[in-house]
């Protein structure tokens, strides 16, 4: 498995940011991805990161609070790099795995696996294997500076779309994560068995893209029911005028990722409208995710005010 790490770095890394295309190393994938980025709409796709490649670690005493990310079906470990960067800037070590067989390159080749319980279990195992390695004091796959750096007492998981369901599956089946964020897909879903809200006791935050034309209003209704059924504490954040891929840095990269950028049709009546700025959506989401994990993993009680602060794009409920 290929895993990307984001982490607090020294100030010497400033100015050494890498391009989005630098995440893709192997050919012919690198060439095909670069071709997509070259023609991607600038109002949707962020082509320049705010993070350097392999910078020196910041001088912060360990162990570090740690988060593991699960990407959407047909996406990649770097799909939400803006979110990972923001979390790293707040002191978190963030690890994201490529779910082999379920990446953007499998999607381009029309070879994605089915969205079923067997695939969900594979994705859960990917995340748990990453957690195993991060917490192993004798880890052999991690670069030396990261061995023993992850804090098993301050561990969280989060994911987007199919990664949302994966997050729920990990929280249900692995006792190590202490909190989770599920973005734009229901965790418990009658179309995809394997997770129940009753089986998750950890603090949970659910994101709803109100104009999600990928999982549709059926999927959003299921997320709302998930919140009703969730064990407390739980939060539900509904993002107005937001589509499914607005939370991803790949929004607008191709037709597959079009739900969330530019023009769309409303879920309620099919009326035409313009999606909310995906850059603003990602920034807003990043702030709330950071606040949620600060509250539950760092013990920062003041983060609750930021988590529940009013915003024109947001409807926030908690229990």
């Amino acid at each position: 498995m290929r895993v990307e790490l984001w982490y607090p770095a020294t100030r010497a890394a400033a100015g050494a940011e890498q391009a989005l295309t630098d995440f893709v190393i192997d050919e012919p994938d690198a060439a095909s991805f670069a071709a997509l980025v070259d023609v991607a709409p600038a109002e949707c796709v962020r082509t320049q990161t705010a993070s350097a490649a392999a910078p020196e670690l910041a001088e912060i005493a360990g162990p570090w609070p740690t988060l593991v990310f699960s990407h959407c079906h047909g996406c990649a470990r770097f799909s939400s790099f803006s979110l990972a960067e923001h979390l790293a800037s707040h002191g978190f070590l963030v690890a994201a795995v490529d779910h082999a067989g379920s990446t953007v390159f499998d999607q381009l080749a029309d070879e994605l696996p089915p969205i079923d319980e067997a695939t969900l279990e594979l994705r859960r195992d990917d995340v748990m294997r990453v957690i195993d390695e991060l917490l192993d004091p004798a880890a052999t796959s991690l670069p030396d500076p990261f061995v023993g750096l992850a804090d098993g007492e301050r561990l969280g998981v989060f994911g987007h779309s199919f990664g949302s369901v994966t997050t729920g599956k990990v929280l249900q089946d692995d006792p190590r994560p202490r909190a989770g964020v599920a973005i734009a897909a229901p965790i418990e879903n009658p179309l995809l068995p394997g997770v129940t809200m009753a089986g998750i006791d950890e603090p949970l935050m659910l994101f709803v893209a109100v104009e999600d034309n990928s999982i549709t209003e059926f999927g959003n209704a299921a997320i709302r029911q998930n919140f009703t059924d969730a064990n407390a504490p739980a939060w539900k954040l509904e993002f107005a005028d937001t589509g499914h891929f607005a939370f991803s840095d790949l929004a607008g990269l191709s037709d597959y990722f079009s739900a969330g950028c530019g023009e769309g049709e409303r879920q309620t009546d099919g009326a035409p409208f313009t999606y909310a700025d995906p850059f603003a959506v990602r920034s807003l989401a990043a702030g709330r995710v950071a606040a949620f994990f600060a509250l539950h993993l760092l013990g920062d009680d003041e983060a609750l005010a930021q988590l529940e602060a009013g915003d024109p794009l947001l409807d926030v409920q908690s229990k």
Side-chain angles (χ1 to χ4, degrees):
M1 297 187 297
R2 177 163 285 159
V3 181
E4 197 86 22
L5 300 176
W6 287 263
Y7 52 90
T10 65
R11 292 188 179 274
E17 294 83 3
Q18 59 184 340
L20 171 60
T21 51
D22 290 345
F23 285 118
V24 186
I25 301 168
D26 302 323
E27 296 291 357
D29 291 343
S32 60
F33 187 71
L36 289 175
V37 173
D38 283 344
V39 298
E43 66 272 18
C44 304
V45 179
R46 180 181 163 203
T47 59
Q48 186 70 22
T49 77
S51 48
E56 183 180 353
L57 276 68
E59 294 182 359
I60 302 172
W64 288 0
T66 299
L67 306 170
V68 181
F69 174 72
S70 175
H71 63 71
C72 43
H73 197 50
C75 299
R77 68 192 185 284
F78 52 84
S79 291
S80 294
F81 71 83
S82 290
L83 180 50
E85 288 175 345
H86 186 79
L87 290 165
S89 78
H90 283 267
F92 291 95
L93 170 63
V94 182
V97 59
D98 268 343
H99 292 293
S102 297
T103 71
V104 60
F105 305 106
D106 302 295
Q107 178 263 315
L108 291 171
D110 196 25
E111 295 178 350
L112 288 175
I115 299 177
D116 60 14
E117 190 171 5
T119 304
L120 175 60
E121 290 177 352
L122 287 172
R123 293 170 63 97
R124 173 206 59 194
D125 292 348
D126 288 347
V127 172
M128 291 173 62
R129 178 68 185 88
V130 172
I131 293 173
D132 289 344
E133 190 72 6
L134 288 169
L135 299 184
D136 185 353
T140 58
S141 298
L142 282 172
D144 289 344
F146 295 94
V147 176
L149 188 61
D151 189 345
E153 300 300 314
R154 296 186 293 169
L155 176 68
V157 288
F158 65 111
H160 173 226
S161 194
F162 203 178
S164 171
V165 190
T166 307
T167 293
K169 183 68 169 170
V170 173
L171 289 172
Q172 175 183 270
D173 295 352
D174 189 331
R176 294 173 294 181
R178 305 300 176 91
V181 177
I183 301 172
I187 288 175
E188 181 177 348
N189 185 330
L191 302 180
L192 181 57
V195 189
T196 65
M197 299 307 296
I200 299 173
D201 295 321
E202 295 79 12
L204 186 66
M205 183 162 67
L206 309 175
F207 281 5
V208 176
V210 173
E211 302 298 342
D212 194 324
N213 64 355
S214 180
I215 66 170
T216 73
E217 190 60 23
F218 173 84
N220 280 349
I223 299 175
R224 294 173 183 124
Q225 187 61 49
N226 282 182
F227 174 69
T228 298
D229 297 338
N231 293 309
W235 285 259
K236 176 173 64 71
L237 277 62
E238 300 214 10
F239 290 71
D241 292 343
T242 298
H244 189 74
F245 287 108
F247 301 106
S248 170
D249 290 290
L250 302 186
L253 184 68
S254 66
D255 289 344
Y256 183 83
F257 299 106
S258 63
C261 179
E263 304 303 313
E265 295 183 353
R266 293 202 180 277
Q267 297 299 298
T268 49
D269 57 12
F273 83 109
T274 301
Y275 286 111
D277 178 0
F279 292 96
V281 170
R282 291 194 286 267
S283 177
L284 182 60
R288 301 309 166 107
V289 173
F292 173 83
F293 283 124
L295 177 65
H296 294 292
L297 298 185
L298 307 185
D300 181 0
D301 292 337
E302 295 182 2
L304 179 62
Q306 170 63 24
L307 175 58
E308 298 184 346
D311 187 277
L313 275 180
L314 278 184
D315 176 73
V316 180
Q317 295 184 40
S318 64
K319 63 185 228 180

